[in-house]
């Protein structure tokens, strides 16, 4: 494994994990039109397993008039914001790879 990947492993893990869960929230929202919340479909259960924690956090952060159908979208927005903030923090801390190699 080269320095670009191995040298910045915490950055890649955090960045891609947050992206994975955010995109899974979008998929959960889209699939919600076709499946009931207690559907036995294994794909639907997988998306719910992956995103339930983010939806629970979003439920505590937004007003109660936001319906449960839209909570995955709210969670997605929060996750993308968190990804952006942690990315900026890691760039500032020197934990992210540089576009131009150091001289």
């Amino acid at each position: 494994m080269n320095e670009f990947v191995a040298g910045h492993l915490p950055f890649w893990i955090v960045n891609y994990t947050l992206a994975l869960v955010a995109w899974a929230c979008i998929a959960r929202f889209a699939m919600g039109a076709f499946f009931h919340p207690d559907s036995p479909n294994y794909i639907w259960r997988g998306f719910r397993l992956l995103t339930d924690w983010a939806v629970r956090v979003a439920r505590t952060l937004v007003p109660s008039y936001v319906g449960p159908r839209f909570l995955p979208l709210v969670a997605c927005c929060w996750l993308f914001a968190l990804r952006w903030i942690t990315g900026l923090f890691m760039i500032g801390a020197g934990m992210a790879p540089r576009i131009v190699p150091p001289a």
Side-chain angles (χ1 to χ4, degrees):
M1 214 184 285
N2 62 10
E3 178 64 25
F4 185 74
V5 175
H8 306 288
L9 207 53
F11 172 78
W12 297 120
I13 290 172
V14 170
N15 192 24
Y16 286 121
T17 302
L18 288 173
L20 172 74
V21 177
W23 283 107
C25 283
I26 292 174
R28 176 179 169 165
F29 171 75
M31 290 177 67
F34 303 105
F35 295 104
H36 294 292
D38 57 349
S39 174
N41 183 288
Y42 67 94
I43 297 172
W44 173 250
R45 286 185 302 165
F47 278 113
R48 289 205 44 163
L49 180 69
L50 183 63
T51 60
D52 269 346
W53 67 270
V55 172
R56 274 194 308 268
V57 170
R59 186 177 296 129
T60 62
L61 295 176
V62 298
S64 61
Y65 61 79
V66 176
R69 167 130 172 78
F70 296 104
L71 284 175
L73 287 181
V74 173
C76 172
C77 291
W78 282 107
L79 286 167
F80 277 128
L82 182 63
R83 181 181 177 208
W84 187 72
I85 290 167
T86 57
L88 287 177
F89 172 75
M90 288 183 164
I91 289 170
M95 297 171 69
R98 297 177 51 152
I99 295 174
V100 179

